[in-house]
Amino acid sequence: MAKSPVNNPPIAQVETEGASVPSLAVEKIESSSSISSDEAAPTLTPPSAINYAAEDGFGAGVWNNDKRINALFSVNETRNSWISVVGIGWVKLANTIDSANEALTVFSTAGKVKNSPVNYFLDGGQVTQIYVW
């Protein structure tokens, strides 16, 4: 049986006496010329920012939009990676194929590091698609 996370991410505590909150400046790229014609690129526009329920119902997948990832969990087991989504909790990344699990983990890591908005598709209780903005 695969292990699952048992701890919750720590709650951020900001000291107000003379401390400043660090910030990350992210430069905006104005041109999409860095993508060559032979590279695959997303063809869909981002799903709208409609909030759906955290759990999918009736066996159909559900998009969860404009979320933030605040923690990651992995253990030395095959295809066992989890993300903690603010306001949702722990969600397992798809474990059907090694490369898919690795790619979802890399994208999730980028979303956490940059505190970027994340849209993910929850199907059968697992994240099977992810957009990191």
Side-chain angles (χ1 to χ4, degrees), residues 44 63 94 104 119-122 126-131:
L44 299 175
W63 277 103
L104 290 168
N119 298 353
Y120 65 91
F121 190 71
L122 189 65
Q126 297 184 359
V127 175
T128 58
Q129 299 177 48
I130 192 166
Y131 280 89

Side-chain angles (χ1 to χ4, degrees), residues 14-28:
V14 178
E15 297 178 18
T16 57
E17 294 182 23
S20 63
V21 178
S23 62
L24 175 65
V26 179
E27 295 179 20
K28 184 176 179 182

Side-chain angles (χ1 to χ4, degrees), residues 79-91:
R79 305 177 193 154
N80 193 10
S81 296
W82 297 69
I83 58 174
S84 177
V85 180
V86 174
I88 302 293
W90 289 105
V91 182

Side-chain angles (χ1 to χ4, degrees), residues 27-93:
E27 295 179 20
K28 184 176 179 182
I29 298 174
E30 296 294 331
S31 173
S32 62
S33 62
S34 63
I35 299 174
S36 67
S37 61
D38 60 336
E39 291 180 335
T43 57
L44 299 175
T45 56
S48 62
I50 300 171
N51 290 324
Y52 294 101
E55 296 295 326
D56 52 336
F58 305 109
V62 175
W63 277 103
N64 289 273
N65 300 319
D66 197 27
K67 302 295 183 184
R68 299 291 193 277
I69 297 172
N70 63 351
L72 303 166
F73 172 83
S74 185
V75 67
N76 62 342
E77 295 175 352
T78 305
R79 305 177 193 154
N80 193 10
S81 296
W82 297 69
I83 58 174
S84 177
V85 180
V86 174
I88 302 293
W90 289 105
V91 182
K92 186 168 179 62
L93 299 178

